[in-house]
Amino acid sequence: MSLRVGVLASGTGTNLQALLDSVHRREGIEVVAVASNKADARALERARRAGVAAEVFELEAHADREARDDAIGDWLVSLDVGLVVLAGYMQLLMPAFLRAFPQRVINVHPALLPAFPGIGSVERTVEHGVRVAGVTVHFVDDGVDTGPIILQRAVDLPQGADAGAVRRLLQPIEHELLPEAVRLFARGALSLDPANPRRVLIAGR
Ligand code: GRF
């Protein structure tokens, strides 16, 4: 049984590229759809170049956010998507979308959650003067970056690192952690701890 993956991306799509380069059409995983809320997202070009269906779902083309998210959800369901990956998707998803993919939406975030959720996390990391930054991959729930944590990796920050330097440190970590989480999901290795559904259990660890 292969896992059909849908990716939502708003920007340059380097995380999408990491998925295309490392897990796409390997280990029973196939990226079958890339959706963006922005027509000029470079992620769409990357998808098309890889022969993956790419669609734009701009808010302006729909009655409201619910209708837009329903349209994305319907498209992904029509392509039999079993996992939705948010790879730099800069919009919140409506609860109905999440209900359509229960425990099947994951996100990569450039901070060690629960520190610095939401947008501007790298800037806030710098302003706060923390010594350690990092990346989190988590299941998406109704909150902002609040869902159960799948993988995290920390990195020490050199003194005086600005937002650009922090991003350069975090990006390669994102590009490893997100594909790794997709592999674990595809293998059926992820489950929620029945004793505490905030906690993700990883089989074999
Ligand atoms: C990444 O830092 C991701 O964590 C954040 O947005 C950025 C997207 O980068 N949510 P890219 O479009 O994958 O290059």
Side-chain angles (χ1 to χ4, degrees):
M1 254 292 279
S2 79
L3 177 69
R4 295 169 65 81
V5 177
V7 178
L8 271 51
S10 303
T12 54
T14 63
N15 281 285
L16 165 66
Q17 194 65 54
L19 293 171
L20 293 171
D21 292 344
S22 62
V23 295
H24 181 48
R25 295 179 184 150
R26 288 174 218 199
E27 301 176 53
I29 298 164
E30 181 164 5
V31 179
V32 295
V34 173
S36 183
N37 60 312
K38 291 195 179 290
D40 61 354
R42 269 195 58 205
L44 294 166
E45 271 172 57
R46 294 178 191 271
R48 291 184 187 117
R49 213 182 310 137
V52 174
E55 282 281 348
V56 180
F57 294 87
E58 283 176 315
L59 191 50
E60 299 71 34
H62 300 272
D64 53 24
R65 286 177 54 200
E66 276 86 359
R68 194 267 308 272
D69 287 8
D70 286 350
I72 301 175
D74 289 348
W75 186 58
L76 298 178
V77 167
S78 78
L79 291 170
D80 205 16
V81 162
L83 174 69
V84 180
V85 177
L86 309 188
Y89 188 62
M90 306 309 278
Q91 304 261 291
L92 291 178
L93 288 165
M94 292 287 109
F97 182 98
L98 297 175
R99 279 198 300 275
F101 296 95
Q103 297 307 324
R104 287 182 169 269
V105 184
I106 68 174
N107 179 46
V108 59
H109 184 74
L112 291 174
L113 293 171
F116 309 123
I119 56 165
S121 53
V122 171
E123 286 72 15
R124 282 179 287 132
T125 294
V126 171
E127 276 161 26
H128 211 93
V130 295
R131 302 290 188 194
V132 175
V135 171
T136 303
V137 180
H138 64 95
F139 283 112
V140 175
D141 66 8
D142 281 350
V144 178
D145 300 324
T146 52
I149 291 168
I150 301 168
L151 295 173
Q152 288 187 304
R153 192 179 301 160
V155 60
D156 289 331
L157 291 184
Q159 188 133 307
D162 62 10
V166 173
R167 270 197 198 89
R168 282 191 293 280
L169 283 170
L170 297 184
Q171 235 188 10
I173 301 177
E174 292 191 328
H175 297 169
E176 269 187 50
L177 245 49
L178 187 59
E180 178 60 16
V182 172
R183 274 189 214 105
L184 289 168
F185 186 96
R187 260 189 250 146
L190 302 178
S191 62
L192 296 184
D193 183 348
N196 176 1
R198 275 221 58 82
R199 295 175 56 173
V200 175
L201 301 175
I202 302 178
R205 288 205 183 171

